[in-house]
Structure formats: C-alpha cells, structure tokens
Amino acid sequence: MNVLLSRDFYNRPATEVAPDLLGCRLVCLINGVRVSGIIRETEAYQGIEDLGCHAHVGKTPRNAPMFEAPGHAYVYFTYGMHWMLNTVCEGEGVPAAVLIRAIYPLEGWEILTRNRPRQAGKRGWLDGPAKLAQALGVDKRFNRHDLCSPESELFIERGSSIPSSEIEVTGRIGLGKTPEPWFSIPWRWVAAHEHFEKLNLPSV
DNA sequence: CGGCCGATTATCT
DNA sequence: GATAATCGGCCGG
C-alpha cells in the first residue's frame, strides 16, 4: 500500500492520466507531517494545439515546465492571488498537464484547517484548484518539484479505483474566451464528494 | 442553492 | 495595458 505513482504513470497523454488520478492520494509533507486528500476532480490540458492550454502560445517562462519531463509539478499563479497545481504529463517537448481541481480530506486535518481558517469544514472547502493548493501549502516553491522521487515532499500515491458509473465527464471550467471545440471537449473528470463519504474513511 | 461582483498581480502582447 | 485553468462575500429565492 501507499505506492508512489511512477514516472511511467505520468508519461502518457494528460487525457489518459487525468481520469486515472481520480481516487489517488495527493500528499504534501509539511515538516514531516503527511497532509493529504483523495483526488476527486481533474482536467486535462494536452498539447500545443489545445487552445485551452497555456502552452498553445508556445513555450514561455511560465509554461515551460509543461514542456519538460513528466512526473513533475507545474504550479502557476493566477488572478493575482491563486496558485494552481498541475502534474506534468508526456515526454519532453510535448506540453501536457493535469490540473488537480478538488480533493477529499484524508490526513493532516489540523494543518488543512489552519491553512484555510475561514472556510474550514464548510461544504466545498477543498473543492477548487486554488482552495486545495492553499490547504496543502502548495505555492511557487513547488513548481518543477519531482513527484516521483522518494525524497519528494509532494507526491501522489495509488488509491482505490472508482467505478466509472461514479465519474462524471464534462467540458473544462473557466476557459472563458477559448473557442470551440476546446471549450466543450469532455476533458474534466469528477467523482462526487458523496462517493467518499460512503467509504467511511478514517479522516485524521 | 445560484448569480453577480470586486479583489489583486504575474505574465504576456 | 489587458487578461487570467478563481474565490469569497453578498444578495435574492
């Protein structure tokens, strides 16, 4: 158990990795303490031709990590205040990443709530890419962090698979002016919060 | 619960 | 100078 996802896991198109990340456990080590949640929502950003992807304009200083080796974090800043956590997919030269959009809390409750004191415990308090990044303490320090090293302080572990009947697939969120068909391509995967409540997990 | 709106700044044109 | 892979507060139902 607690198996670290390998470099090979990420070395595939984001559209394959994103649904496979549902049910996996996102872990951040904070002063050696495990703070984690089960990934329950993801989005794929795949290739230079994907007009919804940061990399569609070509390589820039910000999006460069997406062009680099798989199995690393791509963390970027947006809206003047929010950090977004992505996992880089595919080999060098092909920009691809999965945005992690929601987690179900599992370990490190005290730290999670300390990082989001106003919202802690409220409905949806970890549902949203900026919310979970804040709760886990993920910011620019983690850009390009290796998710596959045993030394890593940010990584993802294999979890129990979720039946496809429990997974909703939709178009991606927040792409605003992105033209069709990219706006409505079903590259967002969501497992209901309620699914994990039924599992009766020992939330610590 | 759903919709509107202001916040706030790195990044790119 | 405009925009952004968003959020939280406030409002009405």
Side-chain angles (χ1 to χ4, degrees), chain A residues 10 16 36 40 47 56 76 78 104 108 110 165 174 178 186 190 193 199:
Chain A
Y10 299 101
E16 290 180 26
S36 74
R40 71 164 201 81
H56 84 271
Y76 70 87
T78 190
Y104 183 88
E110 187 187 324
S165 61
T178 303
V190 190
H193 181 86
L199 298 183

Side-chain angles (χ1 to χ4, degrees), chain A residues 68-117:
Chain A
E68 298 168 8
H72 293 254
Y74 166 42
V75 180
Y76 70 87
F77 187 68
T78 190
Y79 289 103
M81 59 190 99
H82 299 306
W83 297 99
M84 305 284 163
L85 171 62
N86 299 255
T87 68
V88 175
C89 301
E90 285 227 80
E92 304 231 12
V94 181
V98 173
L99 174 67
I100 300 178
R101 292 190 53 89
I103 59 171
Y104 183 88
L106 209 55
E107 298 168 285
W109 183 269
E110 187 187 324
I111 293 175
L112 290 169
T113 56
R114 189 187 307 151
N115 285 342
R116 285 182 62 67

Side-chain angles (χ1 to χ4, degrees), chain A residues 39-55:
Chain A
I39 296 170
R40 71 164 201 81
E41 178 178 345
T42 57
E43 277 178 0
Y45 291 86
Q46 178 61 43
I48 201 130
E49 61 281 356
D50 174 6
L51 296 189
C53 180
H54 287 165

